[in-house]
Amino acid sequence: KQWYQRRVRGNQHATLLKILKHNIRVKSVKIDGLRRVEEDIIVPHLKPLLKARNLFALLGQVGKTHDDLDTLDAFEKIDISIEHSGREEGGVNEVSLRVAVSEASRHSFGMNVNSDRGLNDGNFNMYGLARNLFGRLESLKVNYVKGTKISDGCSVIFNKPLFSQKNSDFKIVLAKENMLNRTANYMTSDMKSNMTYQFPMLGGKNQLQAEALWQQIHGGRVPMKIREEFGHHLKCALRHTYVRDTRDDLLVPSRGTKHMLETELAGFMGDVNHVKVSAESQFNARFILGYSATLSVRGGVVHELGDNPRTWITDKFFCGGPGSVRGFYEDGIGRPLGGTMHWGAGFSLTRKLPFSPHIWGLGKYMRVHHFANAGNVGSCKDELIKDPRVSVGSGLIMKIANFRMEINYAVPIRHQPDDVVNHGLQFGIGINFM
């Protein structure tokens, strides 16, 4: 009986492979359900379906097309069905495709919690979104945010996809934010507008941005060096950001790399004149005994321009905290004035807990973590090289929704008297860790 069942399953498998490899030709693709969205927007996403030459390739392309249409954020429901036309010519069957869509609501309101501003920073957002304003997926979003670093803020964002180049868009932002810097106990009130063009190039994501920022620095008891910068400042800048990310997981990667380079040129108008460059690289690979190894390096420099060069504290670099050199409080290296140069490096080993994923789900969402970090901040090369801060430790990593949470026991083994050291348990939650 078992022999007969295996034979039947083998015959079914062979028959299925024969069907999947049978030659086909896509005769037509019909689109149903479009109301406000222009047809020429989704046609480029459907053209690859016409190139399929067998059912196996067609099914794979149908799944990819469904994902491409879903990323447009224009449809609430997408259904792609294959219909046999009944005709066969030269051993090739003709099929037709029907793409049925249901457009998403033109207006929506919602709220969420995110951590897009940095480490240990949570924001509560309320927003209203108007989709497809003129029939070509334009959107207008009004957002109010209340957070731990942003005491309050609001923004208006207009987004226009550019269909001449895949994964490209143009964005205009008007925003007002009040931010608290707990490190140095001062506040900034920002009014800014920027225009952003996003496009793919060199195997990664590129962002060109032109920004005008009117900023007021104010606060309470702060060092005199910071108090001298109190008042209004105007900054006009051009900024380019390049990101190439091939990691298998954005929060707890086990292989792949990430490279980021950001260049800012400020000084067209206002009282800020500099070139600011920040770079970061991360390398991940499988290691021995079930461990994954991560090597991270980052650095940055501000080069002042003009006859009267000046770098405000909001443009300076800081170092230390659970996201950079662990074992120090956030921005605990270089407090309170920061520096115009910084570097950091980290090596970590992570592995799954020795639990089955079915035991409370711990094995799926938690990792053991061992790390060694080093870094420094300063305003000249000698300060960067002299007396680097170093720390080691171990802890746990947890994936919670779209965040990474760490609970570590950190031991600073090299530090300076002016540093704010956190010897012992340290908690961090965010997205970007070293």
Side-chain angles (χ1 to χ4, degrees):
K1 183 178 180 180
Q2 293 179 352
W3 172 84
Y4 177 75
Q5 290 176 344
R6 287 196 301 268
R7 183 176 180 181
V8 170
R9 286 196 297 267
N11 291 336
Q12 291 174 343
H13 183 67
T15 302
L16 179 60
L17 285 178
K18 185 177 179 181
I19 293 174
L20 291 175
K21 293 181 179 180
H22 193 78
N23 294 330
I24 63 169
R25 183 173 68 86
V26 180
K27 180 183 177 182
S28 62
V29 179
K30 184 180 179 181
I31 307 170
D32 291 333
L34 293 181
R35 291 179 295 158
R36 296 183 302 273
V37 178
E38 299 292 340
E39 186 174 301
D40 65 313
I41 291 175
I42 69 171
V43 166
H45 298 279
L46 305 179
K47 284 184 177 180
L49 294 170
L50 300 173
K51 299 178 181 179
R53 292 296 176 258
N54 57 60
L55 187 58
F56 183 79
L58 180 60
L59 291 175
Q61 188 59 52
V62 164
K64 185 177 184 302
T65 300
H66 184 282
D67 293 341
D68 289 344
L69 294 178
D70 192 46
T71 57
L72 297 178
D73 193 31
F75 306 111
E76 193 174 76
K77 184 179 179 183
I78 303 169
D79 182 35
I80 304 177
S81 58
I82 305 174
E83 301 172 356
H84 184 228
S85 65
R87 293 184 58 187
E88 182 175 350
E89 295 182 2
V92 179
N93 287 314
E94 289 187 348
V95 298
S96 299
L97 298 178
R98 179 176 178 269
V99 181
V101 298
S102 175
E103 294 187 6
S105 173
R106 192 168 185 179
H107 304 95
S108 62
F109 302 89
M111 58 186 69
N112 59 43
V113 177
N114 62 34
S115 180
D116 60 353
R117 293 286 175 154
L119 201 74
N120 290 354
D121 174 34
N123 294 324
F124 172 74
N125 297 274
M126 297 180 61
Y127 65 87
L129 177 65
R131 291 187 180 89
N132 200 27
L133 297 177
F134 309 113
R136 306 194 66 80
L137 305 188
E138 303 89 351
S139 66
L140 184 67
K141 184 177 183 180
V142 180
N143 186 68
Y144 172 78
V145 58
K146 185 80 173 178
T148 55
K149 292 185 179 178
I150 301 179
S151 57
D152 60 78
C154 58
S155 60
V156 179
I157 305 170
F158 174 78
N159 188 74
K160 171 71 172 72
L162 302 177
F163 302 104
S164 58
Q165 188 174 10
K166 191 176 181 181
N167 298 325
S168 301
D169 60 22
F170 177 74
K171 185 183 299 183
I172 299 176
V173 177
L174 302 174
K176 172 72 170 70
E177 296 175 347
N178 297 313
M179 298 183 65
L180 172 63
N181 186 299
R182 290 186 171 86
T183 302
N185 195 31
Y186 68 86
M187 287 196 66
T188 59
S189 297
D190 298 346
M191 294 184 64
K192 62 182 179 181
S193 63
N194 60 58
M195 296 184 293
T196 305
Y197 171 46
Q198 297 180 356
F199 61 97
M201 193 172 69
L202 300 176
K205 298 179 180 179
N206 291 261
Q207 185 181 90
L208 284 175
Q209 187 178 82
E211 181 178 80
L213 169 66
W214 188 317
Q215 183 177 77
Q216 181 186 10
I217 304 176
H218 55 96
R221 299 178 61 183
V222 297
M224 183 57 65
K225 284 284 188 180
I226 298 179
R227 184 173 292 276
E228 291 174 356
E229 300 182 10
F230 278 13
H232 294 271
H233 306 286
L234 176 63
K235 174 181 174 180
C236 296
L238 293 176
R239 189 178 298 113
H240 174 258
T241 305
Y242 169 79
V243 178
R244 178 182 172 86
D245 195 343
T246 62
R247 297 175 298 174
D248 58 351
D249 191 294
L250 298 181
L251 299 177
V252 190
S254 60
R255 55 188 174 186
T257 62
K258 176 189 175 183
H259 305 286
M260 186 278 294
L261 176 65
E262 181 178 278
T263 306
E264 177 184 278
L265 174 62
F268 305 96
M269 294 176 60
D271 54 355
V272 180
N273 298 275
H274 66 229
V275 175
K276 183 177 181 179
V277 179
S278 300
E280 178 181 345
S281 289
Q282 185 183 100
F283 305 88
N284 302 275
R286 299 285 175 87
F287 204 52
I288 59 175
L289 302 176
Y291 278 96
S292 296
T294 300
L295 175 65
S296 301
V297 291
R298 60 177 62 168
V301 60
V302 177
H303 178 68
E304 298 169 332
L305 304 174
D307 298 330
N308 186 23
R310 187 70 180 270
T311 300
W312 305 113
I313 190 169
T314 50
D315 285 313
K316 289 184 177 179
F317 296 109
F318 291 86
C319 192
S324 58
V325 183
R326 299 170 179 87
F328 297 82
Y329 280 95
E330 187 173 2
D331 299 340
I333 301 173
R335 277 193 186 184
L337 302 178
T340 56
M341 302 178 181
H342 87 103
W343 67 271
F347 179 77
S348 63
L349 295 173
T350 62
R351 64 157 295 167
K352 294 181 179 179
L353 287 174
F355 302 134
S356 168
H358 302 291
I359 301 178
W360 306 306
L362 293 179
K364 185 177 180 181
Y365 299 105
M366 298 181 68
R367 300 287 191 276
V368 180
H369 183 218
H370 313 287
F371 62 85
N373 297 143
N376 211 345
V377 63
S379 297
C380 65
K381 294 180 181 179
D382 293 338
E383 292 181 2
L384 285 184
I385 300 173
K386 183 181 178 182
D387 298 325
R389 280 67 162 182
V390 182
S391 67
V392 296
S394 298
L396 292 175
I397 297 175
M398 285 161 280
K399 290 177 62 176
I400 302 176
N402 296 322
F403 306 113
R404 167 171 165 167
M405 185 173 71
E406 289 188 4
I407 301 177
N408 298 313
Y409 189 90
V411 180
I413 57 178
R414 290 198 64 176
H415 58 88
Q416 300 302 312
D418 295 336
D419 297 335
V420 187
V421 177
N422 184 7
H423 186 136
L425 289 177
Q426 190 172 35
F427 169 83
I429 185 170
I431 298 174
N432 191 23
F433 287 79
M434 186 170 71

